[in-house]
Amino acid sequence: MKLALTADYHTHTPYSHGKGTVAENAARARELGLKQIGITDHGFAHLAFGLKRKAVPSLISECRAASRELGIDVLVGMEANILGEDGSTDMKESDYENFDLFVCGKHVLVAYASARDWWHYFGGNFTADKFRRKPPRALVERNTRAYIAMIRNNPVDILSHLGYLCPADAAEVAKCAADYGTYIELNSKKTHLSDEELYAVGRSGARFVVDSDAHSVDRVGDAKRVEEQLSRVDFPLDRIDNIDGRLPAFRFAEYKRRR
């Protein structure tokens, strides 16, 4: 199976720990014939690779310059972090005016919201992953609640790599995403949904985008891992909104228009 991507909404630059600059990522997207690219470096609370608030004006300037010079829509985005079970994120409402695209997911090295979240949300997931143990039911339920609260309480455009290092009831999360207009990402860098989970989320009513999660220029627009999985799974391709000339209707921009 070969997907014809219209856009790639998840790419990283040296503003976090990507290798390609904004201009280089955008140039590669244009070379591939994409209409849009999202520059989505890790959120402010990421302890190792987080975007610095003082760097935001420079990021905006580089994205706008790349748009003008290359003739491709370069979106100023962020891959925000879920900070705890309450679904809070490090993209605050005071930050909204600086960004075009709101991507959010679970990451490990994050300044979580509370000591309880450090213990339950970080510690539980870290232990389950490192010791390859079957995640306890209570952990799966906590993770599911965190994902759902994040979607309900924030105008998130795209939920990145659902379930990666954070086992959850993916179908329940996807149903919530369908209700609120948040896209579920099919991430081509990380194996994050099993074939069975992908089949279930495909029947949830949610809509989807395929993203590269590129940390280097050569991976911008790469959909190979997703293509391989979709070749095995009966999945509704008409619900993927960044292929075959389609572009998504994002929630974040609409939220800001209505404020």
Side-chain angles (χ1 to χ4, degrees):
M1 173 181 291
K2 185 67 176 175
L3 298 173
L5 288 191
T6 315
D8 186 351
Y9 294 111
H10 187 171
T11 73
H12 294 268
T13 75
Y15 282 103
S16 56
H17 63 145
K19 295 181 174 61
T21 66
V22 170
E24 289 169 338
N25 283 7
R28 177 57 177 161
R30 185 184 69 168
E31 180 183 332
L32 294 170
L34 304 187
K35 296 180 180 178
Q36 292 182 325
I37 182 171
I39 305 299
T40 51
D41 286 296
H42 288 291
F44 303 119
H46 199 294
L47 295 175
F49 306 119
L51 174 67
K52 306 302 182 187
R53 288 186 184 277
K54 65 182 180 182
V56 170
S58 177
L59 171 64
I60 295 170
S61 178
E62 288 191 37
C63 289
R64 301 298 183 238
S67 289
R68 291 192 306 270
E69 294 165 11
L70 296 169
I72 181 172
D73 193 7
V74 181
L75 303 180
V76 183
M78 186 166 77
E79 188 187 13
N81 301 287
I82 302 173
L83 301 183
E85 192 177 330
D86 66 355
S88 60
T89 84
D90 51 357
M91 173 87 87
K92 306 305 182 187
E93 192 147 357
S94 58
D95 299 311
Y96 288 0
E97 64 180 354
N98 291 322
F99 293 90
D100 308 316
L101 181 65
F102 191 170
V103 180
C104 189
K106 165 69 168 63
H107 297 91
V108 176
L109 295 173
V110 172
Y112 292 100
S114 67
R116 183 179 186 278
D117 289 310
W118 274 101
W119 180 253
H120 288 291
Y121 192 53
F122 165 75
N125 285 302
F126 183 82
T127 300
D129 174 61
K130 292 304 177 186
F131 293 96
R132 298 293 189 267
R133 54 182 284 198
K134 181 179 179 181
R137 180 177 176 180
L139 176 65
V140 173
E141 291 175 348
R142 280 199 301 272
N143 291 339
T144 302
R145 287 195 297 272
Y147 276 128
I148 287 174
M150 180 270 287
I151 292 167
R152 286 176 173 167
N153 298 333
N154 305 274
V156 174
D157 291 319
I158 300 170
L159 170 54
S160 62
H161 43 69
L162 168 61
Y164 180 68
L165 303 181
C166 186
D169 186 331
E172 285 302 308
V173 176
K175 288 175 186 176
C176 179
D179 289 342
Y180 284 84
T182 292
Y183 283 84
I184 300 294
E185 177 185 75
L186 305 181
N187 186 294
S188 199
K189 181 175 184 286
K190 301 173 174 71
T191 299
H192 59 108
L193 294 174
S194 68
D195 288 0
E196 293 75 16
E197 288 173 320
L198 182 60
Y199 179 85
V201 300
R203 274 141 190 81
S204 65
R207 303 197 72 84
F208 302 87
V209 293
V210 175
D211 286 331
S212 68
D213 194 358
H215 287 64
S216 59
V217 175
D218 62 295
R219 286 209 62 257
V220 171
D222 181 1
K224 183 177 179 180
R225 187 187 293 270
V226 174
E227 291 167 347
E228 290 173 349
Q229 188 174 27
L230 290 177
S231 71
R232 303 189 301 266
V233 177
D234 180 14
F235 189 88
L237 298 182
D238 62 336
R239 301 195 71 80
I240 301 176
D241 282 352
N242 66 327
I243 62 172
D244 299 335
R246 297 192 293 273
L247 291 173
F250 279 136
R251 175 185 180 189
F252 185 49
E254 181 62 22
Y255 175 88
K256 292 201 295 180
R257 279 194 294 269
R258 292 184 176 184
R259 277 205 299 174

